[in-house]
Amino acid sequence: MAASKDRENFVYIAKLAEQAERYEEMVESMKNVANLDVELTVEERKKGVAILDFILRLGAITSALGAAATMATSDETLPFFTQFFQFEASYDSFSTFQFFVIAMAFVGGYLVLSLPFSIVTIIRPHAAGPRLFLIILDTVFLTLATSSAAAATAIVYLAHNGNQDSNWLAICNQFGDFCQEISGAVVASFVAVVLFVLLIVMCAVALRNH
């Protein structure tokens, strides 16, 4: 009985925090509800999934925009040069990396614009429209993120290891800092891809149980 009363209090506090747009307090209250030994209602479960969706989107935004920014600022010039040549490695020397920067910027921009729809699912956990809209666009941008990350991975691999058959030379022995930056950007992009997959799975489960 006491646990049930505590749950009602935490839910009430969460609703007040939601109305005041104090989402951190709302998340904390819902965590307290989850820690109680009381079965959650369907609405509370859906709201919990929606809150997790919002948090994952924030993480995906950080990963996608971080990947784009890291790749776009990757540049290294060797300290020696000749009268006619300067040895420099930059992302804009590779069309694949240019595509990567543009694609991840679009992905990050979409994720930012998707946040209001995620908030709607928190406020109205039974609404199916926003979830359906998000799962469709999430799938589209997951494809874009995956393709750009995979393409960049191939070039990063060649930069590290080269390919004798196609006369690709491994440049990472000379351009170590450049290779570290582009490798970090690729890792961040795959983090965004994983978060996208989790978002789609969660949204699909929520729609299935609608």
Side-chain angles (χ1 to χ4, degrees), residues 32-46:
N32 291 331
V33 172
N35 290 331
L36 294 175
D37 189 19
V38 179
E39 185 176 354
L40 299 177
T41 65
V42 174
E43 180 179 357
E44 290 168 350
R45 290 176 183 172
K46 287 182 177 292

Side-chain angles (χ1 to χ4, degrees), residues 71-194:
M71 183 66 79
T73 56
S74 60
D75 182 86
E76 184 178 3
T77 302
L78 296 183
F80 55 87
F81 54 90
T82 68
Q83 182 178 359
F84 301 102
F85 295 101
Q86 185 176 22
F87 298 94
E88 180 183 12
S90 177
Y91 90 97
D92 54 8
S93 301
F94 303 87
S95 57
T96 301
F97 290 162
Q98 293 179 24
F99 167 66
F100 177 90
V101 171
I102 295 171
M104 296 311 297
F106 271 109
V107 169
Y110 157 71
L111 286 166
V112 171
L113 295 176
S114 72
L115 290 179
F117 294 94
S118 182
I119 293 173
V120 169
T121 63
I122 297 174
I123 298 173
R124 301 178 59 190
H126 291 289
R131 294 184 189 276
L132 183 60
F133 177 77
L134 286 175
I135 196 172
I136 292 173
L137 289 184
D138 283 352
T139 303
V140 172
F141 281 91
L142 169 63
T143 304
L144 179 61
T146 304
S147 61
S148 62
T153 299
I155 302 301
V156 170
Y157 176 84
L158 289 174
H160 279 280
N161 301 288
N163 188 305
Q164 293 182 352
D165 295 334
S166 57
N167 293 323
W168 274 78
L169 299 178
I171 65 172
C172 287
N173 291 332
Q174 291 76 32
F175 297 95
D177 293 340
F178 173 74
C179 286
Q180 285 184 356
E181 291 175 355
I182 61 176
S183 298
V186 168
V187 170
S189 68
F190 276 109
V191 171
V193 167
V194 171

